[in-house]
Amino acid sequence: MPYPAYMEESIRKVEGTRERRLKEELPRIPVGKRMPVLQEFHPDFVKTSMRELLVGPNKGDRTPNELADLLEGNSRIDPDKIDLTRIDYDVDALIIGAGGAGAAAALIAQENGANVLLVTKLRLGDANTVGYQGGTQAADRPDDSPVLHYLDTMGGARFTADPKLVEALVKDAPDVIRWLESLGVIWDKKPDGSMAEVALAGECVPRCHCCKDYTGLEVMRVLRDEVRCRNINYVEFAPAIELIMDDKGQVAGAILVNLETNELSLVRAKAVVMATGGIGRLHIQGFPTTNHYGATADGLVLAYRVGCPLVDTDTMQYHPTCAAYPIAILGLLVTEKVRGLGAQVVNIDGEQFANPLEPRDVLASCIIRECKERGKGITTPTAELGVWLDSPRIDMIHGEGTVAQNLPAMVRQFGRFDIDITKEPMLVYPGLHYQNGGIKFSPNGATAVPGLFAAGEVEGGVHGRNRLGGNSSLDLFVFGRRAGKSAAQHAKEVRLGKLTLDHVRQWQRELKKAGLTQVRPISPKILPDYARQPHDYLADYVTERLHAGQIKVA
Amino acid sequence: MAESQDRTQVKAEKEAKMLDIYVMGKHYQVPEGLTIMTALEYCGYRLIRGCGCRAAFCGACGTVYNFKNDPVLRYALACQKLVEQDMYLTQIPFFPAAKPSYDLEKMEPTGEQLLKIYPELVTCFGCNNCTKSCPQELEVMEFMSAAIRGDLKEVTIKSFDCLMCGLCAARCPQGLVPYNIALLCRRLHGRYLVPRSKHLDERIAEIEAGEFDVEIEELQKMSLEELKRRFDERPILKE
């Protein structure tokens, strides 16, 4: 599916300006002058897209409608029908979610003496982690320092990040890189063994460590293998649908459902680590997403129901460059590394309109402005808007073969649709990428509720209201390891009381009092529902008879 | 469709050139332009197995297919391959595969070590079915040969883009699991043969010695205005 003729016409203009653009660098917008473009064009500022929560610890806070529905959702279980004396798994540490954060937590919890159970909604390692391309930040170069990493992260977040969490993030970073290497992760290096860092947006020094553009794949397959080698018990296709507490107000386990048989199983755990990841598959404001099939905010819902406050519930990250063409890969992540290596973002006339290394919130807003206000975007045959990401410029700067060597995933993925990104640019537009906020937690991984720890995308505060590229994967391993260690320690000290699901009863009472039980869906969502139901005759038939009173539902 | 967010379905429908496909033998009509994965969903399947990142990184959706009048098997990722007229398709979301446990810390980066863990490696007779089945178009048989020779670096280079989808193992007449064998080779290579970074070790030592604590504490204590100024004034290095 090469570009249609009218898009090729625009590409000729991009080629026409390329020589001149080799030396052209647009200034970055100073931190104090970012708000106007953000307020007008960033999706977080679309007022109608959010509403105030009516129940729970964040009552009164605004959050996207799609998330609010689930946070205020009805439980999937009837507490009166669950026999809490029939425990299927009795463990020290239950880790919910088996992406990068969950796997790291499991490994470290086990190293610290815990008997670990790792459970996951899909397969071990099916998570956003596997798809991260651009890399992991760590200030290890002699001309870099954790202080600069701290400053970049705070500034990228518009100074809304939690200083103590950021401190933990930047100080653990180099050790995370070494830890992963000791497990066999192969980082991009120079011949002498020193790291070959790339500069991503908002970094003042090249700081991002990559494994070509298969970084997440490389890291995740190594961690997955290590989990298996250490015989950590894991259960796949078994999402948690509710947390279990004890009569002392501590989190003490979870209820799992077997996705294929619907059988429930009960886990009693002295500590629980929530590592369920993000939210992209809720398609906030209808945006396409870079996220994994299972990214449906389940962990936020479960934690909220046991009383965990969330932070920055009203801010999502829209990655500036996601595929807008061809339609078959709409929303596919086009790594920031493409810009880090020198690709500029240009409009239909082949002109730059923003510095390609602006932080993500700013660049996404500039792209939306270019398309929606200035009319300088390109419209695809299926009415998607986009601008050009001029990848051929990379080989012009760094020499032929650079794109092929550093971006094999991108080359392959566009190549499958007959687009050669070494010769032609990619059409891109912002897509839903990351949940900036999440469960409120502290640097040791602890949440507000005893016994519950959090790590990875599900937690919030580390990135404030805008995350820098390369900091989310770092977050997974920094706080995955910390949560694993804390959970193991907690398990040694805690004495569990009698198990209870009273918090679910209490939750349903609050929902009822707010008049929401009838109008909110069941949550957690578990999976998006993409199956078309064109001719659901059987359901129609059953519904008719149900309404006619001919059959009864137990 | 229950949720209108999957725009690929809606927009493909507008174009509406309909194709005949056969899902596990059963006939459906779907609009042109869908991937195998979105076509399955268009047909009404709610995927649990065989669907992961939907972006060609996780290897959950390895797929085999052929055509009504062409029995030759083809291989793809369901999230990337567009449906075509008369396609017969199914998914192979799971295939039994040997995965021994080992302790990387107690191993040596050698061919002998590899053969201790995967002695069946030598039974490869070079049929090349693995290469033909790779949706990433990797030279699987070549890295298997390199593994037999104990050339871990060559295996690393040739197998690096492996998604571990399992199609090669499904087609191996000897029951070998090339993706697991390559994974061990890469881990041994990464752990033992890649030169270490001196700067990384030095930086970790500096952090452990608390060298940056005072400066970070300063940043945490200064006013927001001052912090913003420090941020805007920081020099930006390119290389």
Side-chain angles (χ1 to χ4, degrees):
Chain A
M1 202 172 295
Y3 295 115
Y6 79 93
M7 289 171 75
E8 286 289 345
E9 265 178 52
S10 172
I11 291 176
R12 294 295 90 78
K13 291 181 185 170
V14 175
E15 288 165 351
T17 59
R18 202 174 280 145
E19 197 68 42
R20 164 166 62 77
R21 283 186 291 107
L22 264 183
K23 293 196 187 91
E24 180 183 274
E25 187 180 343
L26 299 192
R28 299 189 199 198
I29 303 175
V31 67
K33 295 190 174 160
R34 290 179 193 161
M35 283 320 278
V37 69
L38 291 172
Q39 280 173 340
E40 203 164 345
F41 296 101
H42 194 280
D44 277 356
F45 292 89
V46 176
K47 287 209 170 68
T48 52
S49 73
M50 303 205 191
R51 66 161 190 263
E52 275 184 24
L53 289 164
L54 302 174
V55 289
N58 287 76
K59 187 174 171 178
D61 287 355
R62 291 172 64 77
T63 197
N65 296 320
E66 296 85 349
L67 177 57
D69 280 350
L70 299 179
L71 288 177
E72 294 175 344
N74 288 282
S75 175
R76 286 181 171 271
I77 58 151
D78 176 350
D80 296 337
K81 292 197 174 137
I82 306 275
D83 179 0
L84 288 173
T85 63
R86 294 185 54 182
I87 303 291
D88 299 284
Y89 304 92
D90 205 350
V91 297
D92 295 330
L94 168 67
I95 321 281
I96 304 174
L107 291 171
I108 299 302
Q110 194 202 43
E111 271 176 30
N112 283 273
N115 170 22
V116 174
L117 178 68
L118 179 61
V119 301
T120 181
K121 178 155 56 181
L122 297 168
R123 300 175 312 164
L124 180 61
D126 277 345
N128 283 338
T129 305
V130 79
Y132 93 82
Q133 300 162 21
T136 301
Q137 286 206 46
D140 61 332
R141 284 168 40 143
D143 55 0
D144 197 1
S145 107
V147 180
L148 291 173
H149 189 179
Y150 179 93
L151 205 51
D152 281 349
T153 302
M154 293 301 282
R158 289 176 256 140
F159 307 97
T160 55
D162 180 320
K164 287 293 166 198
L165 293 174
V166 177
E167 182 182 351
L169 184 81
V170 303
K171 278 162 71 173
D172 280 12
D175 192 54
V176 157
I177 299 293
R178 186 164 74 178
W179 177 65
L180 290 170
E181 186 172 38
S182 74
L183 293 171
V185 167
I186 301 169
W187 298 109
D188 290 350
K189 285 188 164 188
K190 295 166 192 160
D192 70 349
S194 60
M195 298 284 174
E197 297 91 344
V198 175
L200 296 189
E203 293 174 13
C204 66
V205 183
R207 187 181 296 134
C208 204
H209 299 68
C210 307
C211 315
K212 300 206 272 185
D213 58 351
Y214 281 116
T215 313
L217 171 67
E218 165 67 348
V219 170
M220 197 66 244
R221 63 194 175 191
V222 164
L223 288 176
R224 183 171 51 203
D225 194 45
E226 190 63 12
V227 166
R228 287 179 177 154
C229 282
R230 295 202 201 165
N231 298 316
I232 290 174
N233 194 12
Y234 65 90
V235 187
E236 299 180 316
F237 299 97
I241 54 170
E242 211 66 77
L243 291 173
I244 299 172
M245 297 190 77
D246 72 1
D247 56 5
K248 301 173 183 172
Q250 306 176 110
V251 167
I255 301 172
L256 315 178
V257 62
N258 179 326
L259 268 191
E260 291 172 314
T261 65
N262 289 328
E263 184 186 11
L264 299 187
S265 48
L266 266 53
V267 186
R268 176 164 59 196
K270 292 174 184 159
V272 174
V273 177
M274 194 63 83
T276 50
I279 199 178
R281 289 285 158 189
L282 302 188
H283 295 281
I284 308 293
Q285 297 186 42
F287 271 86
T289 184
T290 60
N291 279 196
H292 188 269
Y293 189 45
T296 54
D298 297 6
L300 294 183
V301 171
L302 299 191
Y304 198 65
R305 249 174 229 168
V306 296
C308 267
L310 312 177
V311 291
D312 297 326
T313 52
D314 57 341
T315 164
M316 298 296 142
Q317 178 159 84
Y318 298 83
H319 195 287
T321 59
C322 302
Y325 183 88
I327 183 81
I329 52 169
L330 183 72
L332 178 95
L333 174 64
V334 178
T335 171
E336 200 159 287
K337 192 179 176 187
V338 179
R339 281 173 282 134
L341 289 168
Q344 293 167 331
V345 184
V346 298
N347 65 19
I348 192 168
D349 299 324
E351 298 296 342
Q352 287 200 83
F353 52 88
N355 185 302
L357 292 182
E358 290 284 8
R360 289 178 176 174
D361 52 351
V362 175
L363 186 59
S365 303
C366 290
I367 292 173
I368 293 171
R369 176 176 67 188
E370 197 67 10
C371 292
K372 298 227 159 138
E373 187 186 60
R374 297 175 177 168
K376 293 281 188 184
I378 296 93
T379 308
T380 71
T382 51
E384 298 294 334
L385 281 166
V387 295
W388 296 114
L389 181 59
D390 195 19
S391 45
R393 186 176 184 268
I394 297 171
D395 280 0
M396 287 176 76
I397 302 170
H398 300 289
E400 209 163 304
T402 308
V403 171
Q405 173 61 34
N406 289 280
L407 301 165
M410 292 294 98
V411 170
R412 186 178 278 118
Q413 293 195 336
F414 282 85
R416 285 185 173 118
F417 300 94
D418 296 326
I419 293 168
D420 178 356
I421 66 163
T422 66
K423 306 259 174 357
E424 294 203 300
M426 294 168 257
L427 195 74
V428 296
Y429 194 75
L432 182 58
H433 186 53
Y434 189 79
Q435 155 195 294
N436 288 320
I439 301 170
K440 188 171 186 281
F441 81 123
S442 57
N444 68 358
T447 70
V449 180
L452 185 65
F453 301 81
E457 190 171 349
V458 77
E459 30 82 344
V462 184
H463 313 288
R465 304 180 66 80
N466 181 59
R467 174 177 69 74
L468 290 188
N471 265 353
S472 64
S473 58
L474 177 58
D475 175 339
L476 302 175
F477 309 123
V478 167
F479 294 107
R481 297 196 311 171
R482 283 167 174 256
K485 192 174 175 189
S486 299
Q489 187 59 36
H490 181 82
K492 283 176 193 157
E493 293 158 4
V494 73
R495 287 182 69 91
L496 291 185
K498 189 168 175 287
L499 300 188
T500 172
L501 291 168
D502 275 348
H503 60 289
V504 180
R505 295 186 183 90
Q506 174 66 24
W507 174 259
Q508 290 299 135
R509 279 197 295 274
E510 278 178 47
L511 272 192
K512 195 171 176 190
K513 212 163 73 186
L516 298 177
T517 45
Q518 299 298 315
V519 292
R520 293 289 181 260
I522 287 172
S523 65
K525 190 177 173 75
I526 300 181
L527 288 175
D529 191 1
Y530 293 147
R532 197 179 63 121
Q533 291 156 351
H535 304 296
D536 203 345
Y537 297 121
L538 184 64
D540 290 348
Y541 176 70
V542 171
T543 312
E544 274 169 34
R545 291 181 64 208
L546 196 64
H547 284 299
Q550 289 167 331
I551 49 175
K552 285 198 171 74
V553 176
Chain B
M1 183 174 51
E3 290 182 39
S4 59
Q5 298 99 339
D6 193 343
R7 292 200 230 166
T8 57
Q9 287 183 9
V10 181
K11 301 225 164 156
E13 217 167 11
K14 275 190 199 160
E15 314 272 291
K17 184 190 167 192
M18 301 301 276
L19 302 175
D20 299 284
I21 62 165
Y22 300 84
V23 179
M24 291 179 274
K26 198 169 165 63
H27 175 247
Y28 292 91
Q29 284 201 315
V30 300
E32 190 178 31
L34 299 183
T35 62
I36 290 174
M37 183 173 286
T38 50
L40 288 172
E41 289 169 338
Y42 184 89
C43 295
Y45 289 87
R46 190 182 196 215
L47 303 176
I48 295 175
R49 297 261 178 181
C51 177
C53 72
R54 302 173 75 103
F57 285 98
C58 76
C61 66
T63 297
V64 298
Y65 64 94
N66 61 9
F67 294 93
K68 200 172 181 180
N69 296 312
D70 181 355
V72 176
L73 282 181
R74 280 94 162 167
Y75 309 86
L77 299 171
C79 70
Q80 298 295 298
K81 180 67 191 169
L82 296 179
V83 286
E84 295 169 29
Q85 176 66 25
D86 288 337
M87 200 181 243
Y88 269 72
L89 49 92
T90 187
Q91 282 186 286
I92 316 282
F94 177 83
F95 194 84
K99 219 320 279 177
S101 289
Y102 38 78
D103 182 350
L104 210 63
E105 289 303 310
K106 293 183 182 149
M107 295 170 87
E108 285 174 14
T110 62
E112 293 77 46
Q113 178 74 76
L114 188 62
L115 283 171
K116 262 191 229 161
I117 306 286
Y118 289 110
E120 68 272 26
L121 182 53
V122 294
T123 66
C124 170
F125 57 81
C127 72
N128 208 31
N129 269 327
C130 49
T131 302
K132 287 181 204 158
S133 68
C134 180
Q136 292 284 85
E137 297 180 339
L138 304 181
E139 296 290 345
V140 183
M141 192 187 75
E142 285 186 21
F143 70 66
M144 289 295 279
S145 305
I148 293 168
R149 295 195 307 272
D151 188 344
L152 303 182
K153 186 176 181 187
E154 186 72 5
V155 180
T156 296
I157 292 168
K158 289 217 154 99
S159 73
F160 197 81
D161 299 358
C162 168
L163 309 179
M164 306 183 73
C165 71
L167 287 172
C168 53
R171 292 296 283 161
C172 178
Q174 301 294 76
L176 303 181
V177 187
Y179 64 86
N180 276 343
I181 294 169
L183 174 65
L184 176 56
C185 293
R186 287 193 305 270
R187 290 191 66 188
L188 286 170
H189 181 73
R191 169 69 183 81
Y192 292 106
L193 301 178
V194 174
R196 298 293 292 260
S197 166
K198 211 167 124 255
H199 297 317
L200 183 66
D201 293 338
E202 285 166 4
R203 180 52 45 80
I204 291 167
E206 287 167 8
I207 291 171
E208 279 168 1
E211 282 192 28
F212 305 99
D213 293 0
V214 173
E215 227 179 317
I216 287 178
E217 203 185 327
E218 253 175 45
L219 293 178
Q220 289 176 338
K221 282 183 177 162
M222 67 179 51
S223 72
L224 184 59
E225 284 318 301
E226 178 66 10
L227 189 61
K228 282 182 177 174
R229 197 182 55 75
R230 280 284 298 272
F231 175 78
D232 276 334
E233 286 173 359
R234 79 206 195 288
I236 293 183
L237 280 176
K238 293 241 176 74
E239 296 295 332

